[in-house]
Amino acid sequence: MSAPCTFPIVSALKKTALTVITAALLPVLTAAPSFADSASDGPDEKQPQPPVAMSTVGGAKLGLAGTQVNLGPGVPVLPKELSGRSWIVADAESGAVLASHNAHWRLPPASTLKMLFADTLLPKLPKEEKHKVRTAELESVGEGSSLVGVKENLTYSVHDLWLGVFLRSGNDAVHVLSEMNGGIPKTVRDMQQHADDLQALDTHVVTPDGYDEKNQVSSAYDLTLFARSGLQKKDFREYCSTSSAKFPGEQKKGKKRETFEIQNTNRLLTGTSGIPAYKGIAGVKNGNTTHAGSTFTGVAERNGKVLLVTVMNPSSGEGQAVYQETARLLDWGFAAAGKVKPVGELVAPKSVKSSASPAPTKAGADQAGPSGAAKPRAASSGAGGAGIALAITGGAMIVLAGGVFLVNRRWPLPDLVRRLPRP
């Protein structure tokens, strides 16, 4: 006798098994990656989501996914047109974080990582030092990198190279400065050590220039720490606020060396590409790569209030979205300052918190943070630049007293803006 109804039973079992397997695999197939550079950003694909657990450096709320803000009476609502995967609005002087969105999400930083590079190396290399570029120093520059036009067998000052880093985001200038610091591996180690001291624990440095590499990540919180630390340095303030400058070109025998003009790629600073210059802007750094998308950290001052905003990887189709969203967040921050209760803070460097020294020496005062009055000084934009003034009228920018990190209320810029060229 033949077995009755075997095939319907087998078919049902297969169907049941398939359902169980699909249910088991579904969370794996749809889970969001921890790092954005492991996911495609195609327009028809689902945007990755922040990890469930993030760092709580600066406060518990900063470790939560989504937007964090304490809305209350008199506090303006946040702008609706915000698409950045991560952003933060902070008071540059007090360190109060006014609002944030996925502040500690570890994302590719692009050239905003150059803020950490500059903050690390500026005190190590005298700006007057001259260097003749060797071919080998440019061989490791990544394909498709942004370049300022550094050429082998030509001599540049450290000052020239820093202009190339800040204005044109030149990876060629970054690699030459790194070699002057002892090489790429040493520079990466120095940057990582400095990031750790700043308590920028979301940051993993692989290259000094922010070029896309596996596991090279930072966060909106960390990038804001880098900007805040860098802005304590006079040279950093000068370079990041420079609108345009003359850069050394070819050297022909018996003739004066040629120069060519370079312009800062920070659209909010220069007022180009359809983006108006932002009132009170004073830097600091933008970036854009395939995996990072557009990233930007900016500092601006209005009515004695200095704010830092970082935006990472906006997904809207709006032209120059990273600048548009930064401007909206700055507008909100200035309107909300003094009304909104902070959701966290920008922490002080570990070395400062543990320091018992009342003040740095005079020789290192500007790099480490002066305790005495600073002489008034306006930052030049270079031979051909209009630039932005960064005048320091007096008083400390960072005071070390009893191991406490204090920032003078007048830091950093009482007279930020000279007239900028308008498009």
Side-chain angles (χ1 to χ4, degrees):
M1 180 182 288
S2 60
C5 302
T6 302
F7 293 107
I9 294 173
V10 172
S11 178
L13 288 172
K14 286 183 177 180
K15 185 177 180 180
T16 302
L18 181 60
T19 302
V20 171
I21 292 171
T22 303
L25 288 177
L26 189 59
V28 177
L29 294 172
T30 60
S34 295
F35 303 110
D37 59 348
S38 63
S40 172
D41 294 337
D44 297 326
E45 298 190 29
K46 185 179 179 181
Q47 291 290 321
Q49 298 300 309
V52 175
M54 292 183 284
S55 169
T56 57
V57 172
K61 284 191 174 183
L62 300 183
L64 300 177
T67 301
Q68 307 302 318
V69 62
N70 291 315
L71 293 178
V75 178
V77 296
L78 285 163
K80 293 182 179 179
E81 301 87 356
L82 298 175
S83 67
R85 289 185 182 171
S86 176
W87 53 258
I88 193 169
V89 182
D91 187 308
E93 297 170 319
S94 71
V97 176
L98 307 185
S100 70
H101 180 77
N102 302 325
H104 281 292
W105 191 358
R106 304 179 75 191
L107 298 166
S111 287
T112 45
L113 192 65
K114 290 182 173 79
M115 293 187 294
L116 174 62
F117 172 75
D119 193 36
T120 303
L121 261 64
L122 272 168
K124 299 174 180 286
L125 302 173
K127 63 193 300 183
E128 301 83 10
E129 183 177 342
K130 306 278 187 178
H131 179 77
K132 187 174 183 179
V133 176
R134 296 178 288 109
T135 301
E137 295 172 344
L138 300 175
E139 289 177 347
S140 61
V141 175
E143 183 178 353
S145 288
S146 53
L147 306 171
V148 66
V150 174
K151 303 296 184 183
E152 62 270 14
N153 301 318
L154 292 180
T155 299
Y156 300 86
S157 68
V158 168
H159 175 73
D160 294 331
L161 295 171
W162 281 122
L163 287 172
V165 170
F166 277 91
L167 273 67
R168 297 301 304 171
S169 205
N171 288 3
D172 46 359
V174 169
H175 281 241
V176 172
L177 288 165
S178 296
E179 292 298 334
M180 294 178 69
N181 184 55
I184 298 292
K186 179 181 182 299
T187 298
V188 168
R189 290 193 302 271
D190 289 349
M191 290 171 65
Q192 189 65 63
Q193 182 178 10
H194 187 45
D196 294 345
D197 178 61
L198 293 175
Q199 302 197 64
L201 305 184
D202 300 323
T203 299
H204 180 67
V205 183
V206 180
T207 69
D209 51 24
Y211 191 79
D212 284 336
E213 291 287 353
K214 184 177 176 59
N215 294 328
Q216 177 144 278
V217 290
S218 189
S219 66
Y221 184 87
D222 285 8
L223 293 175
T224 308
L225 289 180
F226 301 152
R228 191 182 189 219
S229 177
L231 287 164
Q232 314 301 314
K233 299 175 174 61
K234 179 173 62 178
D235 288 344
F236 189 104
R237 297 193 302 274
E238 175 186 341
Y239 293 130
C240 81
S241 69
T242 298
S243 177
S244 62
K246 297 294 184 181
F247 194 80
E250 296 292 334
Q251 178 71 67
K252 295 181 180 179
K253 189 175 181 180
K255 292 186 177 181
K256 184 179 179 181
R257 187 171 182 178
E258 298 175 359
T259 62
F260 58 92
E261 186 168 294
I262 57 175
Q263 188 176 59
N264 202 312
T265 54
N266 175 354
R267 308 297 186 224
L268 290 182
L269 183 69
T270 59
T272 55
S273 301
I275 301 297
Y278 189 83
K279 180 183 178 181
I281 194 74
V284 285
K285 192 72 189 74
N286 58 309
N288 190 295
T289 66
T290 301
H291 292 302
S294 295
T295 60
F296 180 68
T297 299
V299 63
E301 184 271 347
R302 285 187 186 174
N303 301 319
K305 180 66 66 177
V306 185
L307 297 182
L308 279 163
V309 166
T310 296
V311 175
M312 301 186 75
N313 202 346
S315 59
S316 78
E318 183 180 29
Q320 306 289 337
V322 76
Y323 300 110
Q324 303 273 26
E325 295 186 18
T326 296
R328 291 175 192 131
L329 286 169
L330 282 169
D331 286 345
W332 177 86
F334 287 123
K339 303 172 185 175
V340 65
K341 180 181 178 182
V343 294
E345 66 172 345
L346 301 177
V347 295
K350 290 189 293 187
S351 58
V352 173
K353 288 177 67 177
S354 62
S355 173
S357 174
T361 61
K362 183 177 181 181
D366 190 70
Q367 298 296 344
S371 60
K375 294 180 179 180
R377 185 184 186 278
S380 165
S381 63
I388 286 185
L390 294 177
I392 306 301
T393 61
M397 285 177 296
I398 293 181
V399 179
L400 307 184
V404 179
F405 185 69
L406 300 174
V407 182
N408 184 276
R409 293 303 303 167
R410 301 179 72 179
W411 178 86
L413 316 165
D415 182 22
L416 283 173
V417 182
R418 286 178 178 175
R419 287 181 175 83
L420 292 172
R422 294 296 191 267

